Amino acid sequence: MKQSSLFQALGAVIKRDLLLAYRQRAELINPLAFFVMVITLFPLALGAEIALLKRIAPAIIWVAALLASLMSIDNLFRADYDDGSLELMVMTPHPLSVLVLAKVTAHWLVSSVPLLFIAPLMGLMLHMDSDVIGVLLLTLLLGMPVLSLIGGIAVALTLGLRKGGALLAILVLPLYVPILIFAGGAVDAAMSGLPISGHTSMMCAILFLAITLTPLPTAAALKMSLS
Amino acid sequence: MNANKLEAHRLSCIRDERVLFSELSFTLNSGQVLLIEGANGAGKTSLLRILTGFRKPDTGDLFWNDDALDDAQEFYRDTAYIGHHNGLKDTLTAEENLRYAQALASTALTIDDALEHVGLDGYQQTLVRFMSAGQRRRLALARLLCTRKALWILDEPFTSLDRASIKLFEKFIENHVSQGGLTIMTSHHNTAIPHTLLQKIHL
């Protein structure tokens, strides 16, 4: 009879979103296939220049991951908005910002974690050294959640628009730049045999900042979209 | 259930420079149903969205048990809303949909009992995608039964329901208010809820 706890609610949101993703597996494949295809096209277009490929491989993988994340982010709240589940989520005694964090977590698990598994294979295909691949993975691990968290704000802001897709990209891409720069810097440093801790520390800081701060504007924007 | 009270004080709503309503005040106590009537576009849904806290009234205040609605968290603990959309996920089963609703609120009836009450017994494992419009509406209303909320805010709850189901739900609403609950609803149908329980607002 008693009110569900915040953790129950969090668990329920994550569990439901994972279940929904599992039931709509076909939609999960899209960003993944996009990621693989974009990366595969680069060696074909560049020709037999292994040194050049090796040099730009991390950038290719990062940009592909960023665009794949942008592709899937629009779905974060769209379906909930259309079928009325968002109203239910807002009308709980739990703070909306925390439920938003649960939704973003589920989105990250579903859309970014598979990329983390494929990225090393892509790295090998592009002749990256194994230690550089390790650093690349670390930057993806730290950076991809930030992309989802920042994307969440933009998605919530554009919910009321019928065709928010292009606007979403314009809103979000400038905000993705810092994380891309630090990730590129870390991998660059690793390739030249320099310490990467400066860059990764900055990425950690951005990640924690994003976890604590982005759910608040996202929740506010969601409430606005319902009015 | 504790005695609850929703108080609206001189609400007004302006949309696209048209005044939908103004100076609207009412008090709704435990054990009462508020029926909001009006022609299409009269502002019924806008009023409900103000009462749910989704939309701010252009002027006026709302109080839930004498607390202003600005801090909606307390209010939402006690409030269930069913709007034009059912808030169901097509690719989840009836049971999964209700379980999710329970996890966000507090439990009243078990899921099986709630489904039986709305005549969807045996549909536990059916995906909502395969249900008819009326069955979906019934499932959405089953959410009211399986979660414990004092105030029900229902926007056209009887859309796409057959006559027998409408009767059934009017009984549920009567039961709910007789146990100290409150209901606010809009409806085009002539309701069979006893007049002693009923307050009407005509927009």
Side-chain angles (χ1 to χ4, degrees):
Chain A
M1 297 298 165
K2 69 184 219 314
Q3 177 63 42
S4 65
S5 72
L6 182 55
F7 282 105
Q8 271 172 322
L10 273 181
V13 171
I14 293 181
K15 202 174 126 194
R16 183 196 67 155
D17 277 15
L18 292 182
L19 193 61
L20 281 171
Y22 173 73
R23 295 266 163 83
Q24 297 159 341
R25 293 184 284 281
E27 282 177 32
L28 289 185
I29 305 296
N30 283 345
L32 212 58
F34 173 83
F35 180 68
V36 172
M37 271 187 317
V38 168
I39 294 174
T40 335
L41 288 177
F42 268 89
L44 297 177
L46 273 178
E49 292 200 55
I50 290 179
L52 178 61
L53 195 60
K54 205 169 161 174
R55 176 86 192 79
I56 63 171
I60 296 172
I61 293 180
W62 245 101
V63 171
L66 192 146
L67 293 177
S69 157
L70 189 62
M71 231 177 114
S72 62
I73 194 83
D74 191 36
N75 257 335
L76 186 55
F77 300 114
R78 173 70 60 190
D80 282 4
Y81 178 76
D82 288 341
D83 66 17
S85 330
L86 190 61
E87 291 165 354
L88 290 187
M89 201 171 85
V90 172
M91 288 194 79
T92 59
H94 308 295
L96 183 60
S97 51
V98 182
L99 299 182
V100 161
L101 201 56
K103 276 201 75 77
V104 173
T105 308
H107 177 265
W108 174 75
L109 282 173
V110 163
S111 69
S112 300
V113 171
L115 294 192
L116 290 179
F117 284 97
I118 296 190
L121 291 179
M122 297 289 112
L124 281 178
M125 189 182 81
L126 301 180
H127 294 281
M128 284 172 69
D129 296 328
S130 55
D131 48 339
V132 179
I133 291 181
V135 173
L136 176 73
L137 269 185
L138 180 66
T139 59
L140 284 173
L141 189 68
L142 292 173
M144 298 285 287
V146 179
L147 303 186
S148 298
L149 285 162
I150 293 176
I153 305 178
V155 174
L157 280 174
T158 53
L159 262 188
L161 309 172
R162 274 294 115 198
K163 297 256 177 254
L167 185 60
L168 180 70
I170 294 171
L171 276 175
V172 146
L173 283 177
L175 298 172
Y176 281 0
V177 167
I179 206 78
L180 189 64
I181 289 176
F182 283 114
V187 181
D188 244 11
M191 282 200 288
S192 346
L194 297 169
I196 58 162
S197 57
H199 299 282
T200 49
S201 305
M202 274 311 284
M203 290 186 78
C204 274
I206 295 177
L207 174 60
F208 285 115
L209 215 58
I211 290 176
T212 44
L213 292 185
T214 57
L216 300 170
T218 309
L222 284 180
K223 280 186 185 158
M224 230 161 59
S225 75
L226 288 180
S227 71
Chain B
M1 232 178 263
N2 307 329
N4 290 300
K5 185 172 75 169
L6 180 72
E7 216 179 329
H9 186 62
R10 305 179 75 169
L11 297 180
S12 70
C13 176
I14 301 165
R15 209 150 194 186
D16 296 333
E17 301 184 5
R18 278 191 323 120
V19 179
L20 290 177
F21 50 82
S22 61
E23 300 287 321
L24 177 67
S25 303
F26 65 85
T27 307
L28 188 70
N29 291 301
S30 279
Q32 290 185 316
V33 179
L34 176 65
L35 182 67
I36 299 166
E37 296 173 320
N40 296 129
K44 298 189 294 292
T45 297
S46 297
L47 176 56
L48 283 195
R49 294 189 81 80
I50 287 173
L51 296 180
T52 51
F54 292 152
R55 199 185 150 89
K56 290 264 172 292
D58 291 285
T59 61
D61 302 288
L62 279 166
F63 301 94
W64 175 244
N65 296 335
D66 297 324
D67 293 329
L69 222 67
D70 297 337
D71 178 30
Q73 248 38 287
E74 267 310 304
F75 176 61
Y76 286 159
R77 184 186 306 279
D78 299 322
T79 309
Y81 171 70
I82 293 187
H84 289 187
H85 300 294
N86 290 323
L88 302 168
K89 285 289 176 195
D90 275 356
T91 44
L92 295 185
T93 65
E95 191 183 354
E96 285 159 353
N97 269 300
L98 292 184
R99 178 146 300 142
Y100 171 71
Q102 281 186 332
L104 291 184
S106 50
T107 307
L109 288 182
T110 65
I111 290 170
D112 286 342
D113 286 346
L115 285 174
E116 199 185 323
H117 273 83
V118 300
L120 287 174
D121 198 20
Y123 283 89
Q124 274 88 341
Q125 304 303 327
T126 309
L127 292 183
V128 170
R129 188 158 32 127
F130 300 124
M131 290 184 169
S132 75
Q135 284 174 326
R136 285 173 202 210
R137 201 61 180 164
R138 277 193 269 165
L139 183 57
L141 294 167
R143 202 163 56 216
L144 298 173
L145 303 178
C146 71
T147 55
R148 179 168 298 267
K149 304 273 192 174
L151 172 61
W152 291 357
I153 300 180
L154 313 174
D155 198 355
E156 297 289 341
F158 302 141
T159 338
S160 59
L161 289 185
D162 55 40
R163 258 177 231 184
S165 312
I166 293 177
K167 272 220 174 76
L168 188 70
F169 276 108
E170 287 175 340
K171 271 271 164 295
F172 289 149
I173 291 172
E174 265 185 70
N175 260 335
H176 177 64
V177 295
S178 71
Q179 287 166 13
L182 302 82
T183 303
I184 299 173
M185 59 189 266
T186 62
S187 181
H188 288 307
H189 304 270
N190 284 327
T191 157
I193 297 170
H195 288 285
T196 47
L197 303 175
L198 212 55
Q199 282 195 71
K200 282 189 189 178
I201 290 179
H202 195 90
L203 290 180

